[in-house]
Amino acid sequence: MFTSCTSLNSLPGHDMTNRIRIAVLGASGYTGADLVRLALGHPRMEITALSANAKAGQTMADIWPHFFPHPRLPTLVRAEEIPWDGIDAVFGCLPHAASAGILSGVRGPRIIDLSADFRLRDASVYAEWYGNAHPAPTLLDEAVYGLTEFARGALRDARLVSCPGCYPTAALLALLPLVEAGVVGTERITIHALSGVSGAGRGLKDTHLFAELAEATHAYAVGRHRHMPEIEQELSRRVHRPVRISFTPHLVPMNRGELETITVELMKGVTATDLRTVLQRRYADEPFVHLLPVGVAPSTRMVRGSNHCVLNVFEDRVPGRAIVIVAIDNLVKGSSGQAIQNMNRMFGWAETLGLEAAPLFP
């Protein structure tokens, strides 16, 4: 049955003025579940519908034990059962192709999509990297690429927002100010990325088994990860010429978190200190992006469970190069938290609304 939810949002003491009704597609996945977790603490969101086709008829607590305190969350339904005329915003937390197929038929609600379907602006590039024709190419020109700190001007009036992937979120927050300022070269950018296993989704794979992953780490999709064209696309747009990167992701034995070590070549006369200055000026007033003190290396434990990003710059012992290190929580700033940050901007609220929680430690 389709039911509405009375949650933390509707308890006494929570201002419900201008609240919106949301639907979450794919609530049985890691990003969907984390979006529900964050939405429960958001004072202007009412969770009205949750979908998970393979789990339809079950409750969130049936598949996610940490939701047992919230028995009034809507029962999971199939996406086609959701009455869109009762929804103000929909979050798509589905796999690529499936997301565009469903969202292309949604009329009325504003859409925040967390899949890869609307990130690449060229349908032919999507087909090359994802192995199938784009399910809704006519929507690509409409989609706003939702890296919040660089998309504010377009978010307020957007109907469809495409949230960046987790790896591109970290890489672009570190690199965009530097390439825009012209202080680093764009021919030899090398990114080594580490991610918790939740970044690979909830599907059963041999490489995700405890015995396969514990006490070990491994590279994957070497030289061919699907986030590569996304990073290159956004960097190229900033410098108005093609940018190519070297990108190698690694899966590490932790549940959540992401750390990227990025090697860049300095332009003539530029130092690592100059890179710090650029980042400090760009992010001085940002609520979620933080340049750490000199010499402090970012760590995933600094941001776990939060929408924060920490970064820093270090001199390389090789002359003419510098190292930029950046850390985020892949499920929050790299996914569901950034989606809510975008939604806040779309509806004219403070970007920090519902995202003020400090990181979890230890």
Side-chain angles (χ1 to χ4, degrees):
M1 293 291 293
F2 177 83
T3 58
S4 182
C5 169
T6 303
S7 66
L8 290 180
N9 301 331
S10 55
L11 293 176
H14 285 257
D15 180 9
M16 298 300 292
T17 306
N18 297 325
R19 66 177 177 173
I20 63 170
R21 298 158 297 178
I22 71 161
V24 180
L25 307 182
S28 61
Y30 288 129
T31 57
D34 227 36
L35 201 143
V36 171
R37 176 182 71 87
L38 294 169
L40 282 168
H42 195 292
R44 300 207 185 266
M45 295 168 69
E46 180 182 356
I47 304 171
T48 304
L50 300 171
S51 85
N53 286 7
K55 305 286 186 180
Q58 298 186 53
T59 68
M60 287 295 282
D62 288 337
I63 56 176
W64 296 109
H66 62 297
F67 286 120
F68 80 90
H70 303 285
R72 298 183 66 183
L73 278 168
T75 300
L76 294 164
V77 299
R78 297 183 62 83
E80 54 265 31
E81 297 176 36
I82 298 175
W84 298 115
D85 57 355
I87 305 296
D88 300 300
V90 54
F91 292 89
C93 302
L94 297 166
H96 70 273
S99 190
I102 293 174
L103 293 175
S104 61
V106 173
R107 300 291 183 270
R110 302 177 80 175
I111 299 169
I112 304 99
D113 187 36
L114 286 74
S115 83
D117 281 348
F118 300 105
R119 295 172 186 162
L120 297 175
R121 301 168 189 272
D122 187 330
S124 64
V125 176
Y126 176 93
E128 175 188 352
W129 286 85
Y130 286 88
N132 55 271
H134 195 282
T138 58
L139 294 179
L140 290 177
D141 288 341
E142 179 183 356
V144 171
Y145 187 77
L147 184 67
T148 318
E149 288 77 9
F150 292 85
R152 291 189 174 106
L155 286 171
R156 186 65 184 268
D157 297 321
R159 186 188 77 91
L160 169 60
V161 172
S162 177
C163 295
C166 55
Y167 287 130
T169 293
L172 293 171
L173 287 174
L175 289 171
L176 280 177
L178 303 179
V179 299
E180 286 182 332
V183 291
V184 299
T186 56
E187 291 76 30
R188 294 182 179 85
I189 297 173
T190 302
I191 304 171
H192 293 283
L194 308 175
S195 177
V197 70
S198 59
R202 208 184 186 197
L204 293 176
K205 301 176 184 177
D206 290 348
T207 52
H208 298 175
L209 297 173
F210 180 82
E212 302 280 347
L213 186 64
E215 303 179 39
T217 187
H218 65 271
Y220 67 100
V222 178
R224 191 67 187 173
H225 193 278
R226 289 168 169 172
H227 286 177
M228 294 175 72
E230 185 182 340
I231 298 171
E232 291 176 346
Q233 168 187 271
E234 296 305 307
L235 291 176
S236 298
R237 290 183 66 238
R238 299 291 168 167
V239 297
H240 307 291
R241 63 179 182 274
V243 175
R244 302 296 292 272
I245 62 166
S246 175
F247 175 79
T248 307
H250 302 74
L251 206 60
V252 295
M254 61 183 182
N255 290 332
R256 59 164 77 217
E258 190 167 286
L259 187 137
E260 296 184 13
T261 300
I262 305 171
T263 302
V264 294
E265 293 192 342
L266 302 171
M267 299 301 286
K268 186 176 181 180
V270 174
T271 67
T273 300
D274 295 327
L275 269 57
R276 276 189 53 86
T277 299
V278 170
L279 294 172
Q280 179 64 56
R281 289 174 178 170
R282 178 59 181 82
Y283 294 127
D285 298 319
E286 289 291 345
F288 294 122
V289 185
H290 314 278
L291 182 67
L292 297 177
V294 174
V296 178
S299 166
T300 58
R301 65 184 177 182
M302 296 176 178
V303 295
R304 185 171 181 264
S306 79
N307 199 53
H308 293 282
C309 166
V310 292
L311 68 164
N312 214 341
V313 181
F314 299 84
E315 290 185 10
D316 195 329
R317 65 184 296 268
V318 178
R321 297 198 312 203
I323 299 167
V324 185
I325 303 177
V326 56
I328 62 172
D329 185 307
N330 60 295
L331 292 179
V332 188
K333 185 58 173 170
S335 187
S336 298
Q338 183 165 222
I340 290 176
Q341 188 180 355
N342 283 330
M343 184 212 68
N344 285 339
R345 184 73 181 177
M346 293 166 74
F347 285 89
W349 302 328
E351 286 179 24
T352 56
L353 196 63
L355 298 171
E356 299 93 341
L360 298 172
F361 190 87

